[in-house]
Structure formats: structure tokens, C-alpha cells
Amino acid sequence: MTKIALVLSGGVSLGSYTGGAVTELLLALARNEASGPVRIHVITGTSAGALNAALAARALAVNPGVVPWIERAWLDGADAGHLLNPKRKDRRGALDPRVLEDLSRALVTAGPASDDAVSPALGVPLRVGITLSSLHGIRYDLRYGFLNVPDRKFGTRTYSDWIDVEVRGGRPNDPAWERLREAALASAAFPFAFPPRPLARRRSEYPGAHLPGSGSDEVEMWYVDGGLFDAAPLGLAKDLVERDPDHRSEDWRYILVEPSLRTTGGGGGLAGAPDSLAAFAGDLARAVLGQGAALDWIRANRVNARLEILHALLARLPEMDDRITDPEDVVLGRYIGDLAERVAEMKVAVDPTGASARGADPVVDYLDGNLARIEADPRYREVLGSADSRSGRARLAKLIFVLEAASGLRDKDIMRLYLLAPESDAELAGDYLGGFGGFLRREWRAHDFRSGRADARRLLEQGLSDVISYTPDEAGAYETAAVEPGWDAVPPEARRRLEAAFAAEADSVIDELRPGAMAGALGWAWKPVVRRWLTERALRAIATSR
């Protein structure tokens, strides 16, 4: 059986592209006519990808009828007419969070329905991971090993966080769905667009951390957009895959859906300085989210390359020196054993999560546990089998442990990774205004949604045809017309909404101002002047942005 790990990146309104890709994948797997089953066992998402992850999980585990609602949610729900609400109560963000609240409650945590059914593409269990960005950080005290004060600890904070849930089919009222819904909304809380969101976390999820308060195991934490630090959560997907004890012997395929990652070159030159505040905001958003996506993408490729080197080295290890497996060479055996124990001691000392053994002798427990894991690992069966004695195999296992620690490749496997992204360098409509432009026009979101479906179809037919065979929908589901996003193409109603929203924000700013002597002398007249100036400046910045 082939198992799929689906990795959904963010992109604000580009979530419509990801929604289209997810729709095509779910339909194809449900219609799969190939000989062997293909099921989704892991989904990870961040920002807009987190919302799509929650919708995909619900469609798989509770009701495939959610699939067509993915399109409706993005095309009709994620619209400026709803999001730009000048009368919204929560003014900590520019957009109305109630839109996402209502959609997520209707689609992710709805009650049982008469047509509930489990999708044939559901993997059991289905693990869903959502990346988060902690607003205040999580503090740890680490022993670094300074040369002058080796036992001195220093405090550091981590801001990249995540939450994962395990869902099973046919359980629409499982509390895991509300936990997933809340996590997806927190991951989608793009700074300044949506307000930060709280999540109840357990202290036991953060062993070794210094968390506020005491007594209760539950602590409230505040989060914003998960894509700030992890815009393409490949690493989280890998961690969830490795919870499967048989993952090394199974056919795992990773599919990364990345709307803002181009597969072809384009120019490599540097752009000029942004010519407006909106242009600067758009460039900054692309920089932050792009770097977040690049980190995991680069890391995955580096891990694959280093694994190939490690495996080539291990294959030659017994040939390098036949004394390694010679039980008569006691001195070399003792040296290898001491080296492995020293490495285990360092790993236990710097472990901030409490994952290492905590028995009477944690170093010995940690080393023994890893040696047992290595000897049971099918990847190392051949090299360990080259030794003729038990002591020889033990030495090879200890050397493998040392090499894993030195390379940072413990429990790592080469990922069979597939990219689902726009084929050409032509921008998606949602790229306009730093990823927010798609909210301004339904036709732009429809263009990106269909582009996502078309690119998913191409991947299925060209990259995964060995395990998936299906009949696509009619051609119209994948056809897109050329679009040129820009201020002139924004519908009048959306412009009015923007103007009303900026005017409301200007009023909010004015209410907090304390006018000076000149403004005070003008009496009430200064307020409409400042209001009009702020509104016009904001609209002009958008109109001149890229």
C-alpha cells in the first residue's frame, strides 16, 4: 500500500490554489482505479494551508461531501466583501475573523449528517499537524558548554511551534475536530490581517520549558501565522510519518503543495526599492513567507544528499579496516565503546526536551536504546551482517550511532518528495498585494483554484501514475483565462469596501489622538481632514503597489 504525506504551505489568498490542488487530489484518490490502495495518512499545513488541511481531514474522515465546499469556501467565503467589515468588533486586525470562524464551524466541526461516510482515501490513523508561531515564545534553559564556564546555562526562547491531532473515520463529534479547527485558525492569523489567537496547551507538551503560572497542567498561549517560521512544514510531516513503527518498510510519498514556489528560473536580478508602503508590506510578506518555505525545502534536500553519503560510507565501513569487527582487537573495541559513550553523554546533556532516557543511568540507557534501534533497523541489516561475531556487530552499531549523531541523521530517511506548484513563472492572481490581492476579486480566486486543480492533475498523471489512475473531470474544471491583477481591475464594490475599511481604521486612530494647539484651535474640523488624508494615503499606496 502507498501512503501519502500531504504538505500544504501558506500564501494568504493563494490558499485558493492550494484548495484546488487538495480538491483534485481527494477526488483522484477516491476514484483511484490502480491495483493497490493509496491513502493519505499524514497532512501538515501552515497559514492558509492549515485551513485546507482541516478541510481535507474532515472530507477524508467524516464526509467526502465537504470536497466541493472547499471551492465554495475559497471562492465565495474568502471575499473582501465579507472580510473587510468596517463594523467588526475585533479591531486588532484589518480583516474580520468571524468569516473564518463561521466557515470553520460549518465545515470542520459540524454535527453528524445523513450522508456522512469515510473516504476510501482515508489512512488509519490520520495524523494532522499544524504549524504555529508563538507570540511570546517558549523559554528553555540550555547548557551550551562555554569554554570558560562549561556548566553555565543560558536562557533562550523558541517561537516556532506546532500542534498535531489524530483523527479516525466516522467520528464527527470527536473533540479532536475542535482542537484541529482552533489550531488551523491560529495558524492562519496573519499578523495585522487577523488578531492573534489563544490556544490551551498542556505543560506536558513542553518538557524542560519554563512556562508561566503553576498548578494546572493547562496553560494558555497566544499564536499568529504559522508560516512566519515554517511556511512549508516538511519536517513536521516527516516527524508524523516516523510515528508509524513500520514507516521504513512502506511506500511513503510526500507531496508538497507550494503556490509561491516556481519551478523555472526567471531573472535572478534584484528588484528596486519599494515605491509605497503597500509595496514594502508586500515585499516584506513575500520575504518572510518565502524564507520560511525555503528553510524546510533546503533542509529536506540536504538531508537526502547527506543520507546518500552516509549510506555509501556505511557500506564501505567493514572494508576500511578489518580490525573493526575483529573480536581479538580489544583496544580498538574499547576505544569505539568509549567514543559512543561520550557521544551519548553529550546528547543527554544538551537535550532540552527531555526525550532522552531518564533512568538510573540516563547515558547508558540512551546508548543502549539507540544500539537496539540500530540493530533492528532494516537499513543497517547488510552492514551489520558483514560481521562474524556479536562483538563485531556491536562495534559497527556503535560506529553507526556516532556517525548518525555527527551528521544529525538519526532516524532520517530519503524522502520521496513531489512538488505541486505552478509550472511557469507567470504569477498567480493571488500574488497581487503580497498575497492579499485574491480577496478582492472572485475571478482571481477562481483562476488560482483551477490552476491548482490543473497542476495537481499534471502531477498525478506524470509523477504518480505508477500508483494512481483515475478519470479527471471535464476540461472546464481546469481551464483558466489570462488575468492581470491590478488596481484598475479591482471591482468598484471592493474599492468601496476598502475605502470604508480604511476610513473606519482612520477613525479608530483619530479617537486615540490628542490634538495639539493648532488642531485644538480648529475644533471638530481637524478630524475629517485627518480622516480623509489617512484614507487617501492608504488607497494611493495600494493603487501604486505591485
Side-chain angles (χ1 to χ4, degrees):
M1 180 174 68
T2 297
K3 294 185 174 182
I4 299 292
L6 191 57
V7 183
L8 308 178
S9 67
V12 200
S13 70
L14 288 170
S16 57
Y17 175 93
T18 304
V22 167
T23 295
E24 189 68 16
L25 291 171
L26 293 177
L27 292 175
L29 291 176
R31 303 169 183 170
N32 187 24
E33 301 169 355
S35 57
V38 180
R39 295 183 178 133
I40 298 176
H41 282 258
V42 167
I43 307 175
T44 60
T46 187
S47 192
L51 299 173
N52 281 308
L55 295 174
R58 189 73 177 188
L60 286 167
V62 175
N63 193 331
V66 171
V67 173
W69 281 94
I70 298 176
E71 180 176 13
R72 297 176 194 175
W74 282 107
L75 269 60
D76 299 322
D79 188 84
H82 308 306
L83 294 168
L84 290 170
N85 179 12
K87 298 180 180 180
R88 68 190 183 281
K89 295 180 179 179
D90 193 333
R91 308 202 68 82
R92 292 173 298 169
L95 304 179
D96 191 346
R98 293 182 303 174
V99 175
L100 300 185
E101 282 277 0
D102 293 343
L103 285 172
S104 62
R105 290 189 189 280
L107 298 177
V108 180
T109 56
S114 59
D115 60 343
D116 281 348
V118 173
S119 169
L122 172 68
V124 179
L126 174 62
R127 299 185 179 100
V128 186
I130 302 297
T131 64
L132 304 161
S133 296
S134 174
L135 194 59
H136 302 112
I138 303 157
R139 183 189 164 193
Y140 292 93
D141 286 342
L142 307 180
R143 186 171 74 95
Y144 183 77
F146 297 102
L147 294 179
N148 59 325
V149 281
D151 294 327
R152 178 74 176 272
K153 294 182 179 180
F154 75 99
T156 187
R157 289 182 180 271
T158 61
Y159 294 86
S160 180
D161 200 358
W162 77 93
I163 195 169
D164 62 86
V165 299
E166 192 171 286
V167 298
R168 296 180 181 272
R171 299 181 182 178
N173 291 328
D174 190 330
W177 291 111
E178 178 61 21
R179 185 169 169 83
L180 176 58
R181 187 188 76 87
E182 289 284 355
L185 291 178
S187 183
F190 194 92
F192 308 112
F194 295 105
R197 295 186 65 94
L199 287 177
R201 307 302 300 268
R202 293 184 296 274
R203 295 178 188 276
S204 54
E205 296 180 82
Y206 303 92
H210 293 275
L211 299 176
S214 61
S216 172
D217 182 47
E218 196 170 274
V219 59
E220 185 180 73
M221 296 187 183
W222 288 81
Y223 294 100
V224 292
D225 194 319
L228 295 181
F229 302 114
D230 195 354
L234 287 165
L236 178 56
K238 192 70 168 62
D239 291 342
L240 297 181
V241 166
E242 290 174 356
R243 292 185 186 177
D244 183 348
D246 299 321
H247 70 272
R248 289 195 179 92
S249 60
E250 295 174 325
D251 180 21
W252 276 97
R253 311 285 181 99
Y254 294 78
I255 301 176
L256 170 63
V257 182
E258 176 51 83
S260 59
L261 182 66
R262 301 294 182 253
T263 58
T264 55
L270 298 176
D275 52 11
S276 68
L277 180 61
F280 170 70
D283 289 346
L284 182 61
R286 280 186 288 269
V288 173
L289 296 176
Q291 179 64 12
L295 287 177
D296 251 3
W297 181 252
I298 293 171
R299 189 181 299 119
N301 280 276
R302 286 178 176 172
V303 166
N304 282 357
R306 285 157 51 200
L307 278 168
E308 292 178 359
I309 295 171
L310 175 63
H311 291 166
L313 174 61
L314 293 176
R316 302 295 300 273
L317 196 60
E319 304 175 13
M320 293 181 180
D321 194 332
D322 55 12
R323 295 181 304 162
I324 292 176
T325 58
D326 184 0
E328 301 297 326
D329 197 328
V330 179
V331 175
L332 180 59
R334 185 179 299 115
Y335 175 80
I336 293 174
D338 290 344
L339 178 62
E341 289 181 9
R342 176 57 179 156
V343 170
E345 181 181 357
M346 290 187 291
K347 295 291 285 185
V348 170
V350 300
D351 179 11
T353 65
S356 58
R358 293 289 184 243
D361 192 336
V363 173
V364 173
D365 291 345
Y366 183 76
L367 179 58
D368 288 347
N370 277 277
L371 294 179
R373 172 186 58 79
I374 289 170
E375 291 182 7
D377 193 327
R379 298 177 303 171
Y380 303 134
R381 185 176 298 133
E382 184 175 350
V383 63
L384 294 174
S386 65
D388 297 329
S389 64
R390 177 74 185 100
S391 61
R393 287 191 294 274
R395 290 182 191 179
L396 286 173
K398 290 175 182 177
L399 281 176
I400 291 172
F401 168 72
V402 172
L403 290 171
E404 280 185 341
S407 61
L409 296 176
R410 174 189 164 179
D411 289 336
K412 300 299 182 184
D413 298 304
I414 292 178
M415 299 173 66
R416 303 187 68 179
L417 184 61
Y418 299 82
L419 174 63
L420 202 169
E423 188 173 39
S424 70
D425 288 333
E427 288 189 355
L428 295 171
D431 275 329
Y432 178 53
L433 289 179
F436 286 90
F439 295 138
L440 298 176
R441 186 159 188 161
R442 189 182 191 277
E443 288 81 1
W444 295 347
R445 298 190 298 278
H447 170 274
D448 292 352
F449 188 91
R450 292 175 183 171
S451 295
R453 289 200 64 179
D455 290 338
R457 176 181 174 180
R458 184 175 64 251
L459 169 65
L460 291 164
E461 294 177 340
Q462 299 178 7
L464 293 166
S465 59
D466 60 322
V467 292
I468 299 174
S469 175
Y470 77 112
T471 302
D473 283 340
E474 296 181 357
Y478 311 96
E479 291 178 352
T480 59
V483 294
E484 295 185 8
W487 181 245
D488 292 339
V490 175
E493 177 58 28
R495 294 194 192 191
R496 286 193 292 270
R497 281 277 180 173
L498 277 172
E499 184 174 356
F502 285 133
E505 291 301 317
D507 284 341
S508 179
V509 172
I510 291 170
D511 288 342
E512 297 178 2
L513 289 177
R514 294 184 177 180
M518 180 66 72
L522 295 173
W524 63 269
W526 71 273
K527 288 189 176 183
V529 173
V530 174
R531 180 178 187 267
R532 185 168 58 253
W533 182 83
L534 288 173
T535 302
E536 290 177 352
R537 291 282 296 180
L539 292 173
R540 188 180 305 119
I542 289 179
T544 58
S545 64
R546 294 187 291 273

